[in-house]
Structures are given as structure tokens and as C-alpha cells.
Amino acid sequence: MDALRRALGGLALLYALIFFGFALMHAGIPLGPVREPVIVPAAIVETLCVGAMLAGAYGALTGRHWAWDGLIYSHAAALGGVLLGILALAFGSGEATALLTWYHGIMATLLATGLAGAFYVSRVRR
């Protein structure tokens, strides 16, 4: 279980970096040749996802007693943010690009998988 905790903590750091990149792009700062439309609410939600994922990663990588709960909450919060983005694009609240569609689908899958892993371990630990 310790290896899974460290792996999920490392992945949480990676996810935080990805969310940060998209938050920058949605704030109007291009990352090299990659540009996304400016969507201020998306930048705010993605910044909150960065904070959640960093908190979960901190707990997991430093071995805090709340590490598994932190991973569950951080993955759930970030998944909620991604699902909110999917719904916003579905209802026409922003310009849906191919990159955004890909980003939302991949992140939702990865976060749901991490959440399932954290839930599994929390059940096994009892």
C-alpha cells in the first residue's frame, strides 16, 4: 500500500502541473505554440484543482496520517472541477477545442482511476 500511496502522490504532482498549465492558458498565457481561449472561470477552477492536488500529494509523499483521506478528497475535488468543465463546454459556455475535449476526457479518466485506487486502499486498511 505504501508504493500505491507514493505513486498516487507522484501522479497528483503531475496532475497539479497539468492543471497549472491549463490554468495559465485559460488566463491568456500561451505555453509555447499551444494556445487556448481565455476562459476566466476555467482558470479559477483549474487553480483550485492545483491547490487540491498539491495538498493530496503533500500528504501522500510525506506519509501524513491523513494521506489516504487527502488523496480521496483531492482527487474527488479535481474530478468535480473537470466534470464541471465538461458540462460547461457541453452547454456552450466556452469554445470547445480538440485539445480541451481530449484534456477533459483524459483527466476525468485518470482522476477517477486514482480515486478508485484511494477508495480501495481506504477499505482494505480497515
Side-chain angles (χ1 to χ4, degrees), residues 73-89:
Y73 296 143
S74 65
H75 277 75
L79 181 59
V82 170
L83 294 176
L84 183 64
I86 291 171
L87 283 174
L89 289 176

Side-chain angles (χ1 to χ4, degrees), residues 1 68-69 72-73 118-126:
M1 281 191 263
W68 288 111
D69 290 336
I72 289 171
Y73 296 143
F119 268 129
Y120 171 75
V121 171
S122 73
R123 295 284 296 160
V124 170
R125 287 186 307 142
R126 291 182 182 177

Side-chain angles (χ1 to χ4, degrees), residues 13-26:
L13 282 178
L14 176 65
Y15 301 158
L17 182 63
I18 293 168
F19 280 124
F20 182 68
F22 274 87
L24 287 176
M25 287 190 287
H26 282 131

Side-chain angles (χ1 to χ4, degrees), residues 22 25 29-36 99:
F22 274 87
M25 287 190 287
I29 302 168
L31 295 180
V34 182
R35 299 181 193 286
E36 282 296 317
L99 180 60

Side-chain angles (χ1 to χ4, degrees), residues 3-109:
L4 180 60
R5 178 183 50 83
R6 284 193 307 269
L8 285 174
L11 286 171
L13 282 178
L14 176 65
Y15 301 158
L17 182 63
I18 293 168
F19 280 124
F20 182 68
F22 274 87
L24 287 176
M25 287 190 287
H26 282 131
I29 302 168
L31 295 180
V34 182
R35 299 181 193 286
E36 282 296 317
V38 175
I39 307 172
V40 176
I44 293 169
V45 170
E46 286 161 341
T47 302
L48 293 173
C49 290
V50 169
M53 294 312 293
L54 286 177
Y58 170 75
L61 295 175
T62 59
R64 301 291 182 197
H65 64 89
W66 49 267
W68 288 111
D69 290 336
L71 285 170
I72 289 171
Y73 296 143
S74 65
H75 277 75
L79 181 59
V82 170
L83 294 176
L84 183 64
I86 291 171
L87 283 174
L89 289 176
F91 287 116
S93 297
E95 183 183 335
T97 64
L99 180 60
L100 275 183
T101 303
W102 177 84
Y103 160 69
H104 283 117
I106 295 295
M107 288 306 291
T109 303

